[in-house]
Amino acid sequence: MKVDSLKLIKNPSQVTSDINVPAFQKWVVWGVASLFYLYELMLRVSPSVMTDDLMRDFQVSSTSLGVLASFYYWAYVPLQIPCGLIVDRFGTRRIITFSAFLCILGTFLFAESHTLFMAQVGRFLIGAGSACAFLSCLKVTVEWFPIHQFALIAGLTNMMGTFGGIAGGRPLATLVNTVGWRRAGIYMALFGLVVMAVSWLFIRDKPSAATTDKESAAIQFLPTLKGIVKNPQIWLAGMIGGFMYLPISAFAELWAVPFLMNNYGINNELASTASVMIFVGMGLGGPAAAWLMKYSHSYSVVMKFSSLITAGLFVLITYAEYISLGVMFGLILLAGFTIGGQVLCFTCAQDHCTQENSGTAMGFTNAVVMMSGIIFQPALGAILDLVWDGQVSAAGIRVYSHNCYQMALISIPISLFISWILLKFVKEDRRIA
């Protein structure tokens, strides 16, 4: 999940607008940091193109597959809250390098695992390594670029994440079909070694124009977090964001590929185009939602339209049985675009916190949002198993009918409708001019 606000910086005015270093060096530091963000997004979505292979090799049902994929979030979610403090204390160079090492270790364990438990450990380590990725990119931007370029660089960072989601779709599916999912995992781990090496060699920590008392920040962290946890509006922002994130966390990251493989009788390479479509759509829809927010002077209005329209599109995606594959991909692209309003859940959270505690509030909100992966990836698998009619393939893999997928995926538009209802309880204290 991406946060795009200067309020992650406790005092933006302290960042100098004239940083006397060569422009090339700034872009190299940012480029390497964002390369790690691309890498972790690719790892996050990678199980979606391996579903049949994983179910066959581990002899598991859809429920267990969903639990396996969700282990990423079991590490990622709780680390969102202290990530800001961690990056500030240890610096982006050490954090990104160590985070890349965790991702490499997790990817290698996942690829070499022959028990479900070891595969879960691998996904957990990948989630832990990924937790600080985007925040580290924002930290690099603050340290190396003038304040007026922050929004531009944050947007480019979001774009790099979209490329990671794309790379984890059809390109990875082609690799998996060519060399097998285990060897593909080894190749991803080797690519991670390159990312780790260039991170250590090229990323540099630049001291802030104003020094901060890190010990004092650590002492103030728990009281600040306590105040945020007691704020129902921030909880509401996270819950709304979590329900609206299901097209990504439950559909694009896991169940889109097997759903289309079943419905259209296509292989995982072609079906993985769905993940590409939804990531591209959301990459375009986020900026469009921000523009509409400024036009309408209300983030909640934009989010209401976003949730309702996307809910309608997912009803079509789930129940339309006689549309061509090209039209289906078009619907998925459009759904990705319309769900771009989901990113405004962070604006909603910012509306109910102070400048001083906004970084912690963003981390907490993102943690609540990402709970959707923990809950709904296995939940959709459990629904598939609940309505399964007993069919199995020659390889012993459970075969789920179109009706099974309909029963599971209808939870996405239902959740989007719930987010629309919850938006009625949002207190929009400050209109966005």
Side-chain angles (χ1 to χ4, degrees):
M1 177 58 53
K2 309 170 181 67
V3 283
D4 56 355
S5 173
L6 284 173
K7 292 183 179 179
L8 281 170
I9 311 168
K10 286 192 174 182
N11 191 350
S13 64
Q14 292 176 341
V15 182
T16 58
S17 60
D18 183 17
I19 301 176
N20 296 316
V21 294
F24 176 75
Q25 182 179 352
K26 301 177 189 178
W27 285 105
V28 167
V29 173
W30 170 81
V32 173
S34 62
L35 178 65
F36 172 62
Y37 184 50
L38 179 154
Y39 176 59
E40 76 90 356
L41 254 295
M42 180 178 65
L43 295 179
R44 185 193 302 184
V45 305
S46 60
S48 68
V49 299
M50 308 173 182
T51 53
D52 284 355
D53 295 328
L54 296 174
M55 291 173 69
R56 181 193 65 237
D57 286 5
F58 293 116
Q59 289 296 300
V60 296
S61 65
S62 289
T63 304
S64 297
L65 177 64
V67 171
L68 170 60
S70 71
F71 259 77
Y72 170 99
Y73 288 105
W74 283 104
Y76 185 95
V77 168
L79 284 173
Q80 286 308 292
I81 298 173
C83 261
L85 193 66
I86 292 171
V87 174
D88 283 340
R89 178 172 289 273
F90 295 104
T92 51
R93 184 186 185 215
R94 283 186 286 182
I95 288 300
I96 291 179
T97 303
F98 180 69
S99 295
F101 169 75
L102 287 179
C103 287
I104 294 164
L105 179 60
T107 303
F108 181 79
L109 284 177
F110 185 79
E112 290 296 312
S113 60
H114 292 279
T115 65
L116 185 61
F117 173 75
M118 288 307 300
Q120 291 169 341
V121 171
R123 286 293 291 176
F124 185 88
L125 289 174
I126 293 170
S130 301
C132 292
F134 188 73
L135 189 59
S136 294
C137 291
L138 293 187
K139 180 71 172 179
V140 164
T141 304
V142 170
E143 290 180 337
W144 289 96
F145 290 87
I147 194 70
H148 68 270
Q149 290 185 335
F150 185 91
L152 169 65
I153 309 303
L156 292 174
T157 305
N158 288 346
M159 182 182 68
M160 290 293 283
T162 298
F163 289 155
I166 292 172
R170 189 161 189 172
L172 181 59
T174 302
L175 181 62
V176 168
N177 291 346
T178 303
V179 302
W181 74 272
R182 294 185 184 277
R183 183 167 293 182
I186 297 298
Y187 289 161
M188 287 192 289
L190 292 175
F191 177 61
L193 284 174
V194 176
V195 174
M196 183 176 71
V198 297
S199 296
W200 183 255
L201 291 173
F202 294 105
I203 294 177
R204 291 292 180 267
D205 297 319
K206 187 175 182 61
S208 175
T211 60
T212 57
D213 187 342
K214 294 179 180 179
E215 294 296 333
S216 176
I219 293 171
Q220 295 173 4
F221 175 73
L222 286 179
T224 299
L225 178 60
K226 184 178 179 181
I228 289 169
V229 170
K230 290 183 176 181
N231 190 328
Q233 286 293 310
I234 293 181
W235 275 99
L236 198 57
M239 291 171 62
I240 291 168
F243 281 124
M244 293 182 69
Y245 197 59
L246 284 188
I248 303 296
S249 62
F251 188 72
E253 292 184 10
L254 189 58
W255 295 114
V257 172
F259 167 65
L260 293 178
M261 288 173 64
N262 173 274
N263 282 12
Y264 290 93
I266 56 179
N267 63 17
N268 60 342
E269 291 181 44
L270 185 54
S272 63
T273 305
S275 297
V276 175
M277 293 294 100
I278 204 161
F279 276 110
V280 170
M282 193 168 188
L284 297 172
W291 180 83
L292 286 173
M293 178 188 71
K294 291 185 179 295
Y295 180 79
S296 65
H297 306 290
S298 172
Y299 56 79
S300 62
V301 168
V302 176
M303 293 176 74
K304 286 176 182 177
F305 277 108
S306 175
S307 58
L308 276 185
I309 295 172
T310 310
L313 288 170
F314 262 92
V315 170
L316 288 176
I317 290 168
T318 302
Y319 284 98
E321 300 183 29
Y322 302 105
I323 60 175
S324 68
L325 183 60
V327 174
M328 175 62 76
F329 284 148
L331 287 173
I332 293 172
L333 174 65
L334 185 58
F337 180 83
T338 57
I339 202 56
Q342 185 272 346
V343 299
L344 298 182
C345 71
F346 292 102
T347 304
C348 179
Q350 290 168 8
D351 201 13
H352 298 90
C353 67
T354 65
Q355 179 82 8
E356 290 73 24
N357 67 11
S358 59
T360 306
M362 295 304 99
F364 179 80
T365 302
N366 201 33
V368 178
V369 168
M370 291 301 181
M371 286 291 292
S372 63
I374 293 178
I375 297 170
F376 284 95
Q377 284 185 350
L380 266 64
I383 295 172
L384 285 172
D385 284 331
L386 184 65
V387 298
W388 176 54
D389 59 8
Q391 295 184 56
V392 293
S393 69
I397 303 173
R398 291 189 177 190
V399 176
Y400 301 97
S401 67
H402 181 61
N403 180 65
C404 292
Y405 280 104
Q406 287 178 332
M407 295 293 289
L409 294 180
I410 194 60
S411 60
I412 295 177
I414 290 173
S415 296
L416 289 166
F417 184 71
I418 292 173
S419 70
W420 178 79
I421 294 174
L422 291 176
L423 279 162
K424 295 179 178 293
F425 299 96
V426 168
K427 297 177 181 178
E428 196 163 358
D429 294 335
R430 300 190 296 269
R431 290 290 175 180
I432 307 298

